[in-house]
Amino acid sequence: MEIYCRGTAQIRHGETDEIYEIESDELDWDAVGGDERQMGSEIHYEAVIDHPELGELSWGLWEYPIGIENYHITNAGPHEVIQDFDYGLEHGEPEPDEWVDYSVPDDPLTVFMSSYHHTGDLLADYGGDSGGHLVNRMIFSHQITAMEAYLADRLINEIESDAHAVERLLRQDEDLAKEKFTLAEFSKDADLVGKRVREHLRSIQYHNLAKVDVLYHIALGIRILNLATDKASLFRAVLLRHDCVHRNGFDKDGNELKIFTKAFVQETADLIRTFIGSIERALRARSL
């Protein structure tokens, strides 16, 4: 699933009656939280802009159950929405050959730990004292990327070695459950289902921790977010990484982020390492 947002919003100022237009490409959507409900996880997505005349405007979208748009809401404060965007959830088209040559490492934990130690050395040797130092931001961004890679590779390895995990995904994952194959297609490719599952797993944005938590739960029976010692800080780190990668270290209001001190970057690295260590222990306990 992915968020679509199209068109132009028109908002009338609550005092001046002047109408302002906002284009859909001005919005950046992020997963900002999630809750457990009766039918599984609910994921909250949000886009926020600070308009020079209208102030803060926000668009919220909730996915519940996974794969289904539950509802969305536009908050224009004291102003009137004359015309809103067309926005919601839609199924993205998979790229069949995108990951055909990708070889998942046999030991994602070793790959992650190598990255953890290497970036720690780089931070110590080349990081700066300033919270806006470029090297600090680059290392911080890489830490989130390394976590994403581990979560993806570990999940794929576990699923490929467990036929029951594949069956659970095929039954319960909303995107995979709707897949249909003909006998002719099966006759041409005995690994058709396996390839489709791998393509689907590789299409996931693994910084969307709420969604990844659902996948681990469906396939492996593990709620990874319950293993996090500080879930709020993990979600915040993902959002900060978005500011580093897409806004060059500035927030949505144009303010330079000064939080990336050596201490903060190392604390985040240690938080992620602890999180991944807890996942590893849960996976080993599952295999006993």
Side-chain angles (χ1 to χ4, degrees), residues 25-53:
D25 59 7
E26 297 181 49
L27 271 60
D28 288 323
W29 292 89
D30 291 302
V32 297
D35 293 303
E36 286 301 311
R37 297 180 59 186
Q38 186 177 6
M39 293 186 290
S41 292
E42 177 185 61
I43 304 174
H44 177 198
Y45 302 93
E46 187 176 61
V48 180
I49 64 171
D50 190 3
H51 192 275
E53 302 298 333

Side-chain angles (χ1 to χ4, degrees), residues 199-257:
E199 288 166 4
H200 172 65
L201 293 175
R202 276 296 167 188
S203 72
I204 301 300
Q205 294 180 332
Y206 282 83
H207 58 257
N208 186 340
L209 296 178
K211 192 152 194 170
V212 175
D213 178 65
V214 171
L215 282 173
Y216 269 77
H217 179 58
I218 290 174
L220 309 176
I222 296 173
R223 304 309 308 237
I224 62 171
L225 287 179
N226 290 345
L227 304 174
T229 57
D230 189 346
K231 183 166 61 174
S233 291
L234 279 177
F235 276 104
R236 185 187 182 210
V238 169
L239 295 177
L240 286 171
R241 184 250 188 194
H242 180 90
D243 290 331
C244 290
V245 172
H246 298 285
R247 301 192 181 100
N248 196 29
F250 289 78
D251 65 15
K252 61 182 176 60
D253 301 317
N255 302 310
E256 184 178 4
L257 296 169

Side-chain angles (χ1 to χ4, degrees), residues 60-81:
L61 175 64
W62 282 261
E63 180 181 7
Y64 174 75
I66 292 300
I68 303 297
E69 178 186 336
N70 189 10
Y71 67 99
H72 64 247
I73 188 170
T74 300
N75 184 1
H79 313 297
E80 179 186 1
V81 179

